[in-house]
Amino acid sequence: MSAPGGVSPAALPPNAPPSGADGRRERAPLTLRRRLVLGLVATLVIVTAVIGAVSVTLLHNVLVDRLDQQLSSASDRGREGASGPGDTGGPLSITPNATFVLKLPGQAEGTVGAVIDDDTVISAGALNSLGEVVLISPATAEELASVPQDGQAHTVTVLGIGEVRAQASEGPAGYGVVIALPLGDVNATTTTLSLMIALIGLLGMGLAAVFTSRWIRASMAPLERVEHLATSISKLPLTSGDAALDVRVEPRDADPRTEVGRMGQAFNTMLGHISRAFTAREASEAKMRQFVADASHELRTPLASIRGYSELTRRSRADLPEDTARALERIDSESVRMTALVEELLLLARLDEGVDVEHSTVDLSLIALEAVGDAHAAWPQHRWNLDIPGVAIEVTGVDAQLRRVVSNLLANANAHTPAGTNVTLTLGLEGSNAVLRVVDDGPGIDPGVLEHLFERFVRGDVSRTRGETEASSIPVTRGTGLGLSIVKSVVDAHGGTISVDSRPGETRFMVRLPLAEPQPSRG
């Protein structure tokens, strides 16, 4: 099956985030550390941008106000000189021009002047660095004609000069006089300040990001230590055995005066409660195991007596009534079943207690060969197959217990499959493990039972046909439900694993056991 977008799942990297319902790959969530760093940097960006914008705006306004003051003085001088030299206050003898309004003492370099007549520029010029007036064409300065004669400064653009602050006023004989000062220096100053603020801001944000990241990493170190502790606890074998939980958060990370310390203290309190619960559970289980072991041991003697007396009655059953003989057969059958149950309970109790037994090198190939041979003789209604290598496969363990594993698996296949079922025992090697498989082509195991198959007193009778038939004259002895739990306990005690996979037509039990270490050769 292909992934959304035609990409094979095998082609995706192992740590690729899952895809959403629309086929797009979901973005991995940001960590708390990254969110804090990004939040602080974003705040710094906003603050820097606001401060920079306010600073540049204020500076620009101050510079423009200062330029407007200069413009007002230049406009007064230009208006006074517009009538030309020798002005006596009478009618003008010549038409005013830009030279009259510019070439005056006090006019600054770059000052632009124009004489307006009915919204038309009749003369315009600019003052160069030598104090000379450079005339410009009226068409170039036509924007100056649009400045209202209100005595206020306005910003306009003059071709070839750029933005200027211009002020228009009424001159002699009804002519308009426009004086303008370039905004180039003001704009250059504000642009330089903007660039400096941007560069300093970027440098500051970079330094802040590095410093903030390290500071947050140091601040979150206690959380990481608590995380590592929780991860180490998750790897402890808490589901079985002596579930000791004596790890705690270090005192430096459990200071109630800080938020992280209060979390560490709460974590320690929780671990204390869990530890006490585990201790109580272990004590209860130990009492139960001891009770089962003691009860099983005590029941062995009366059960042996019952079986002995039932055997004695066999000699005279021909003289007994049919119902009495039938009852004695049932007593004998149930005593055998109860004896097996007591023996299995006693074995499980010993395995749970971890009783030390002597381990030796065990040949699994021999055990498999003998177990299949016994199955041929005991259950001829099934077809038993054996597939083992030509070399011995040896593990370290208890011979009797490992024989119990193989015999229980074969007995389970016989008990829960119909006559004529093929059962194959396979033995092989995989790396440093011996692998034993028992496969049958029976009806399979009910999925509802499969999940709990290795628990005690769980039977697969719901879905698997039993080997015995109800039409048989021999009383049916049902299993105790402990066979597979014994198999799992023995395999676990030997450091191995067991798994089961079942579907109609194939049920596969697989046992892995570590191989025995090779013995050093004697020279």
Side-chain angles (χ1 to χ4, degrees):
M1 184 180 294
S2 297
V7 180
S8 172
L12 297 175
N15 57 350
S19 298
D22 57 355
R24 291 181 298 180
R25 191 173 301 171
E26 295 180 3
R27 183 176 298 176
L30 293 176
T31 62
L32 176 59
R33 180 185 301 165
R34 289 186 177 180
R35 290 202 300 270
L36 290 174
V37 172
L38 290 177
L40 290 174
V41 172
T43 302
L44 183 60
V45 169
I46 295 173
V47 171
T48 302
V50 170
I51 293 176
V54 171
S55 301
V56 171
T57 301
L58 289 177
L59 177 63
H60 184 271
N61 291 338
V62 169
L63 294 177
V64 170
D65 289 342
R66 184 178 298 174
L67 186 66
D68 288 347
Q69 293 175 7
Q70 297 173 3
L71 178 62
S72 178
S73 300
S75 180
D76 292 340
R77 289 191 292 270
R79 186 172 58 252
E80 293 175 357
S83 56
D87 181 20
T88 60
L92 294 177
S93 59
I94 58 176
T95 302
N97 59 53
T99 303
F100 297 164
V101 300
L102 291 176
K103 200 167 184 179
L104 296 170
Q107 298 293 50
E109 176 188 351
T111 304
V112 178
V115 178
I116 311 297
D117 183 17
D118 293 332
D119 297 331
T120 302
V121 178
I122 61 175
S123 177
L127 199 62
N128 62 16
S129 60
L130 300 176
E132 299 294 334
V133 176
V134 180
L135 296 178
I136 58 178
S137 66
T140 303
E142 64 181 0
E143 288 293 332
L144 296 176
S146 63
V147 179
Q149 296 181 13
D150 55 2
Q152 302 296 323
H154 301 275
T155 301
V156 295
T157 302
V158 178
L159 294 176
I161 297 176
E163 284 188 332
V164 297
R165 292 287 287 179
Q167 180 177 334
S169 59
E170 186 178 352
Y175 290 104
V177 177
V178 180
I179 300 297
L181 294 177
L183 281 169
D185 291 342
V186 174
N187 292 336
T189 302
T190 53
T191 300
T192 302
L193 178 62
S194 301
L195 291 175
M196 290 179 61
I197 291 176
L199 291 176
I200 294 173
L202 289 175
L203 179 61
M205 284 182 283
L207 294 176
V210 174
F211 172 77
T212 301
S213 178
R214 293 186 178 181
W215 174 65
I216 291 176
R217 180 180 289 108
S219 300
M220 296 185 67
L223 285 178
E224 293 181 351
R225 289 193 289 268
V226 173
E227 175 193 355
H228 294 329
L229 178 65
T231 302
S232 64
I233 291 174
S234 66
K235 298 178 182 179
L236 295 176
L238 302 179
T239 57
S240 60
D242 186 9
L245 191 60
D246 53 359
V247 292
R248 293 293 184 273
V249 176
E250 299 178 8
R252 60 174 176 168
D253 298 332
D255 190 344
R257 295 173 296 180
T258 64
E259 293 83 355
V260 176
R262 285 194 291 272
M263 187 199 69
Q265 190 178 51
F267 196 75
N268 279 344
T269 302
M270 179 189 68
L271 291 178
H273 285 305
I274 295 175
S275 179
R276 288 190 291 272
F278 280 155
T279 301
R281 185 203 70 180
E282 183 64 24
S284 176
E285 291 181 354
K287 290 181 181 179
M288 181 60 67
R289 287 194 296 267
Q290 187 61 42
F291 168 76
V292 171
D294 293 343
S296 300
H297 183 74
E298 293 297 329
L299 286 173
R300 295 172 75 183
T301 301
L303 284 174
S305 299
I306 292 173
R307 291 190 60 186
Y309 283 113
S310 66
E311 290 291 336
L312 287 176
T313 60
R314 289 182 180 273
R315 301 175 182 178
S316 57
R317 287 186 187 181
D319 302 330
L320 296 175
E322 183 178 353
D323 57 345
T324 302
R326 178 72 176 177
L328 289 174
E329 288 180 359
R330 292 299 298 160
I331 291 173
D332 187 25
S333 173
E334 292 303 317
S335 65
V336 171
R337 179 173 178 270
M338 193 169 183
T339 300
L341 174 61
V342 168
E343 293 292 341
E344 289 176 345
L345 286 173
L346 185 59
L347 175 59
L348 283 174
R350 289 174 176 172
L351 290 173
D352 288 342
E353 290 177 355
V355 177
D356 292 333
V357 291
E358 184 177 353
H359 288 67
S360 60
T361 300
V362 180
D363 186 355
L364 280 183
S365 303
L366 179 60
I367 291 178
L369 179 64
E370 293 177 352
V372 172
D374 294 342
H376 272 292
W379 305 303
Q381 70 275 14
H382 283 65
R383 292 192 288 270
W384 302 96
N385 306 295
L386 179 64
D387 182 8
I388 59 176
V391 295
I393 297 181
E394 296 180 335
V395 298
T396 301
V398 181
D399 183 87
Q401 293 181 2
L402 294 176
R403 287 180 182 274
R404 189 71 171 265
V405 168
V406 179
S407 63
N408 279 11
L409 290 176
L410 296 180
N412 179 75
N414 167 74
H416 298 291
T417 56
T421 299
N422 286 291
V423 183
T424 303
L425 189 154
T426 304
L427 188 62
L429 295 174
E430 288 186 6
S432 60
N433 294 319
V435 180
L436 183 145
R437 296 180 178 88
V438 176
V439 184
D440 67 69
D441 57 2
I445 303 173
D446 184 1
V449 178
L450 192 63
E451 184 180 354
H452 308 283
L453 195 62
F454 295 107
E455 297 178 6
R456 297 174 187 184
F457 299 106
V458 173
R459 298 180 176 88
D461 302 332
V462 177
S463 61
R464 308 250 286 174
T465 304
R466 296 185 61 81
E468 304 90 350
T469 61
E470 295 184 358
S472 174
S473 60
I474 302 174
V476 175
T477 301
R478 297 217 173 250
T480 62
L482 295 176
L484 292 180
S485 62
I486 289 177
V487 169
K488 187 176 188 324
S489 296
V490 172
V491 171
D492 289 345
H494 284 73
T497 60
I498 183 171
S499 60
V500 59
D501 182 25
S502 180
R503 60 181 61 88
E506 182 182 21
T507 298
R508 179 188 304 270
F509 287 86
M510 183 168 64
V511 176
R512 292 177 180 271
L513 294 170
L515 293 172
E517 296 183 0
Q519 299 294 328
S521 58
R522 296 182 180 180

